[in-house]
Amino acid sequence: MCGIIGYIGDRSLKEVLYNGLVKLEYRGYDSAGISVLSSEQNDNKIATFKATGKLHHLGEKIKNEKIIGHLGIGHTRWATHGVPSTVNSHPHNSSDNSISIVHNGIIENHAELRASLTQKGYKFLSATDTEVIVHLLDDNYTGDLAETLRKILPLLEGTYALACISVKEPDVLVCARKGSPLVVGLGKGENENKENFIASDVSAILEYTDQVIFLDDNEVVAIKKDQVKVWDENHNLKTIAPTTIEWTLETAEKGGYAHFTLKEIHEQPKVISDTLKGKIKGNSAVIDEINLSQEELENISKIHIVACGTSYHAGLTGKYIIESELRIPVEVDVASEFRYNNPIISSTDLVILISQSGETADTLAGLREAKKAGAKTIGIINVMGSNISREADGTIYTNAGLEVGVASTKAFTAQLIALYILTLFLGEKKASISEERRAYMIENLQKLPKMAEEILKMESTIAEKVSIFDGAISSIFIGRNINTAIACEGSLKLKEISYIHAEAYPSGELKHGSLALISDVCPLVAIATKSSTYDKVKSNIEEVKARGGKIITLATVGDKEIANISGEVIYVPEIDELFSPIVNVIPMQILAYYTATSRDLDVDKPRNLAKSVTVE
Ligand code: M6R
């Protein structure tokens, strides 16, 4: 949703805050701002700079500003309450400019709070829910900002990660979180005890430290240059051991690629190997992070998969993998629907939550619903220390590294690998996959990094085929069986970054209505790689050809026949159908990427979207 950064220390404030926001811009890019405690002439004042639009507008605004100080906060916004505008952008300051805050989340009872503060004479400048917090801090200020924050938090309903500074306490940065992520970065090496950071995620501070403290919900933290104090929800001081982050700084840089999305597409061979690494030993899958007993694993009689967007498509793929190998029924639900559908969950069910960020509000709510029903829960998560990974009974981390592009690519392939690993793991624990079959599956999994590399070598050939979308206003993606999920993912990638409408279907469904849409401005993208249903898909493509449709097909290398019915063909290496989703999704991502760039669009930051959706 929004991105937060904060710093206390002697580095250039402008640089730390702005560079941090650059790394966090993927979380929201409607507007941005910073507040710094400026200590020129030893006279503490809060100076706030804000700009609407992408972050570089703020960059231009502060470029020539002399910013001297050692304490500051910054924010990049994805609007929820109040249109994107300078006045609605964060930070928000108290009327006397003595307190400044940034906030990520939603204060659900903001209207009541606003009414009561207005009665007390507070004047609101913005339409945001956030502004109530700064006036509450001002109204309740005790002379100790951390204490005041602890005092007002029970008044706030909803979610927040927030950071505040005050001219009256120029040596402390005070923060809190509930339902929205916030990490504390600790000064390291020579700078130990000389500086500290806060950020919505580690990417913003990775260039300074890999030592972080993950805060829990309802905790408040007071950060000085040389001290970090954390209070739990009962206002008791607590000690939290720092975690070492293994992501490298390179993951937060474009590394010569035009866009993060393209870089992340290219990282997939490595991501596949990294996700497999350490989790395959001989013919077994080893997952240390699953805290379920042998008995609990044996008793699993039904599986639910709950996720959103691309992660939901990983779930759809997972259903095919698990059902075909384990013969356990799997239900896949869009997380925003799951808990409202009165789901039937029993204590022997396993609920798998798939989420790149581990903080998607609906998926997190799905996890809590599942736990309430007594089910066992496992997260397939990319971001370490995230909410879902901490609340689930077990987590399989996808080693995709930081994913910056709003369109998820490498996280998706990593999620699929995690699902294969989980299937192998459950298959062995429940004695439902023979050792021979496991060996076969592992052999295939190990072929995938090389195959992904081969596909990436065809990037320019695939890029040339985007002319199929010239003049297109819509498109239809088809697949069958396990590749229906990949058709869904391919269509999501296309709409999300190229803004061409796309729908996906199991190919046999086309003739039941959607075939009517096929025209010059609505091409067909078909997945027809070798499979048990290859002939059926081919017939469906023929039906489109017979009606003059423009067609591009993903086929298995060596399939000459398909070229006679499809105008354009992208050939991929041959692999068992069960593993074909990984091979098939990469060309789909490349196709969407080059369609978007051919339309000159900002691929990394598609309009109206944000990377993590921490609100319902
Ligand atoms: O962090 P999550 O995996 O929970 O995010 C779920 C969706 O918001 C996400 O996959 C979204 O659909 C992507 N923009 C798709 O590319």
Side-chain angles (χ1 to χ4, degrees):
M1 286 299 68
C2 303
I4 290 179
I5 175 88
Y7 178 66
I8 183 159
D10 297 327
R11 292 178 196 262
S12 154
L13 256 185
K14 189 153 72 171
E15 247 170 58
V16 176
L17 296 180
Y18 190 73
N19 291 350
L21 290 180
V22 168
K23 301 280 175 0
L24 295 172
E25 198 185 4
Y26 73 91
R27 300 179 65 90
Y29 33 87
D30 292 338
S31 55
I34 58 170
S35 274
V36 293
L37 200 69
S38 151
S39 48
E40 233 177 327
Q41 294 135 14
N42 282 337
D43 174 17
N44 291 319
K45 281 201 181 86
I46 287 179
T48 301
F49 305 89
K50 304 183 188 192
T52 42
K54 298 243 168 85
L55 186 61
H56 65 90
H57 293 126
L58 176 68
E60 276 145 31
K61 198 164 207 173
I62 60 174
K63 195 165 65 192
N64 299 318
E65 292 289 342
K66 202 165 139 214
I67 294 176
I68 300 171
H70 63 274
L71 174 61
I73 50 180
H75 187 272
T76 176
R77 180 169 187 245
W78 186 81
T80 56
H81 293 66
V83 295
S85 67
T86 309
V87 82
N88 286 336
S89 61
H90 299 217
H92 292 283
N93 295 354
S94 56
S95 310
D96 64 355
N97 231 26
S98 67
I99 303 174
S100 186
I101 72 159
V102 288
H103 165 228
N104 170 27
I106 289 183
I107 304 305
E108 285 160 6
N109 59 337
H110 71 99
E112 298 108 81
L113 293 170
R114 180 182 276 252
S116 78
L117 285 159
T118 307
Q119 265 190 352
K120 287 185 177 180
Y122 281 94
K123 297 242 172 330
F124 282 78
L125 301 177
S126 76
T128 65
D129 52 334
T130 302
E131 201 182 343
V132 297
I133 308 172
V134 74
H135 294 317
L136 279 174
L137 283 171
D138 182 71
D139 191 32
N140 289 276
Y141 189 63
T142 63
D144 178 333
L145 193 57
E147 184 187 63
T148 312
L149 186 59
R150 296 201 306 275
K151 190 171 155 197
I152 67 145
L153 287 182
L155 305 175
L156 305 179
E157 286 166 21
T159 56
Y160 48 79
L162 54 92
C164 40
I165 56 174
S166 163
V167 289
K168 295 178 188 139
E169 295 170 65
D171 62 343
V172 67
L173 167 62
V174 177
C175 313
R177 66 153 279 174
K178 182 183 162 200
S180 296
L182 197 66
V183 296
V184 179
L186 305 178
K188 207 187 136 190
E190 264 184 27
N191 281 327
E192 194 179 331
N193 294 328
K194 288 193 189 144
E195 64 178 358
N196 285 307
F197 308 79
I198 54 125
S200 295
D201 75 47
V202 291
S203 64
I205 52 177
L206 214 48
E207 70 181 281
Y208 313 108
T209 184
D210 59 0
Q211 296 299 302
V212 304
I213 290 178
F214 291 114
L215 295 177
D216 269 327
D217 274 356
N218 303 311
E219 286 177 349
V220 171
V221 56
I223 302 165
K224 298 188 171 183
K225 277 185 190 177
D226 58 354
Q227 186 193 60
V228 175
K229 271 184 174 177
V230 184
W231 289 268
D232 68 16
E233 62 182 314
N234 301 316
H235 307 268
N236 297 317
L237 276 171
K238 67 184 277 193
T239 314
I240 309 179
T243 303
T244 304
I245 296 296
E246 275 155 25
W247 289 355
T248 58
L249 187 56
E250 292 83 73
T251 58
E253 309 283 349
K254 276 193 212 153
Y257 287 94
H259 294 100
F260 277 106
T261 308
L262 185 62
K263 175 183 171 234
E264 288 159 4
I265 289 172
H266 275 268
E267 282 171 349
Q268 291 178 104
K270 181 169 183 310
V271 164
I272 298 169
S273 327
D274 287 353
T275 305
L276 284 170
K277 209 180 292 165
K279 296 202 172 73
I280 299 290
K281 300 232 163 76
N283 292 333
S284 299
V286 183
I287 314 176
D288 295 331
E289 309 90 341
I290 291 187
N291 308 313
L292 301 182
S293 67
Q294 173 64 28
E295 194 190 348
E296 285 170 329
L297 291 167
E298 269 171 23
N299 287 343
I300 294 169
S301 53
K302 184 174 169 190
I303 294 179
H304 304 258
I305 302 182
V306 179
C308 302
T310 286
S311 300
Y312 170 73
H313 297 152
L316 292 178
T317 320
K319 173 183 166 77
Y320 283 92
I321 303 169
I322 297 169
E323 286 187 342
S324 70
E325 296 303 317
L326 300 181
R327 307 305 298 154
I328 299 179
V330 179
E331 269 180 29
V332 191
D333 282 278
V334 166
S336 54
E337 290 290 295
F338 181 64
R339 67 192 182 288
Y340 298 112
N341 282 347
N342 196 8
I344 304 168
I345 313 170
S346 85
S347 58
T348 54
D349 289 0
L350 172 66
V351 180
I352 302 173
L353 298 305
I354 307 181
S355 174
Q356 186 285 129
S357 59
E359 60 171 277
T360 299
D362 287 313
T363 313
L364 180 62
L367 164 68
R368 291 177 179 159
E369 180 79 25
K371 289 190 89 166
K372 215 162 59 187
K376 306 290 169 280
T377 54
I378 292 179
I380 294 183
I381 306 294
N382 194 40
V383 177
M384 222 180 140
S386 53
N387 271 322
I388 299 177
S389 66
R390 288 191 298 165
E391 290 187 27
D393 295 318
T395 298
I396 306 179
Y397 281 111
T398 49
N399 294 337
L402 175 73
E403 190 178 65
V404 177
V406 167
S408 189
T409 53
K410 62 175 180 172
F412 178 73
T413 42
Q415 288 165 348
L416 296 190
I417 296 294
L419 285 159
Y420 291 112
I421 293 170
L422 181 60
T423 306
L424 282 163
F425 177 83
L426 293 175
E428 186 168 359
K429 298 285 175 199
K430 294 171 78 61
S432 49
I433 310 183
S434 70
E435 176 152 15
E436 198 188 352
R437 177 71 185 164
R438 280 190 272 121
Y440 173 78
M441 289 175 69
I442 289 169
E443 192 189 317
N444 276 280
L445 285 174
Q446 279 161 346
K447 284 183 197 164
L448 291 171
K450 191 113 207 5
M451 285 194 176
E453 269 169 27
E454 278 175 48
I455 294 162
L456 289 167
K457 282 189 196 139
M458 300 181 327
E459 181 183 348
S460 52
T461 316
I462 301 171
E464 280 164 18
K465 299 190 189 288
V466 302
S467 55
I468 187 105
F469 294 111
D470 285 353
I473 52 169
S474 187
S475 56
I476 293 182
F477 284 63
I478 55 167
R480 196 136 186 172
N481 263 332
I482 197 164
N483 279 302
T484 304
I486 301 307
C488 292
E489 178 54 11
S491 76
L492 177 60
K493 284 295 87 85
L494 187 77
K495 12 182 191 208
E496 178 171 35
I497 60 176
S498 78
Y499 312 153
I500 298 173
H501 175 251
E503 286 189 49
Y505 300 97
S507 67
E509 186 62 14
L510 210 55
K511 55 184 164 298
H512 298 289
S514 317
L515 196 53
L517 290 172
I518 291 291
S519 70
D520 269 359
V521 291
C522 182
L524 178 81
V525 182
I527 303 177
T529 45
K530 285 257 167 72
S531 72
S532 51
T533 49
Y534 171 77
D535 289 332
K536 311 267 178 227
V537 182
K538 209 165 62 157
S539 306
N540 299 135
I541 301 173
E542 298 266 17
E543 287 154 17
V544 173
K545 189 188 177 203
R547 284 153 184 86
K550 283 160 81 180
I551 307 165
I552 181 163
T553 303
L554 206 64
T556 305
V557 70
D559 181 352
K560 301 241 168 61
E561 224 181 301
I562 207 85
N564 298 328
I565 52 169
S566 179
E568 294 287 354
V569 183
I570 299 171
Y571 286 108
V572 294
E574 182 167 359
I575 189 147
D576 185 317
E577 184 180 1
L578 186 69
F579 303 93
S580 63
I582 302 253
V583 170
N584 291 345
V585 78
I586 300 175
M588 294 282 170
Q589 297 165 345
I590 299 174
L591 200 62
Y593 174 80
Y594 281 101
T595 307
T597 53
S598 73
R599 294 183 172 216
D600 219 9
L601 297 172
D602 185 351
V603 180
D604 284 341
K605 300 186 202 88
R607 69 182 176 210
N608 306 336
L609 301 180
K611 180 80 182 154
S612 314
V613 185
T614 53
V615 291
E616 273 192 47

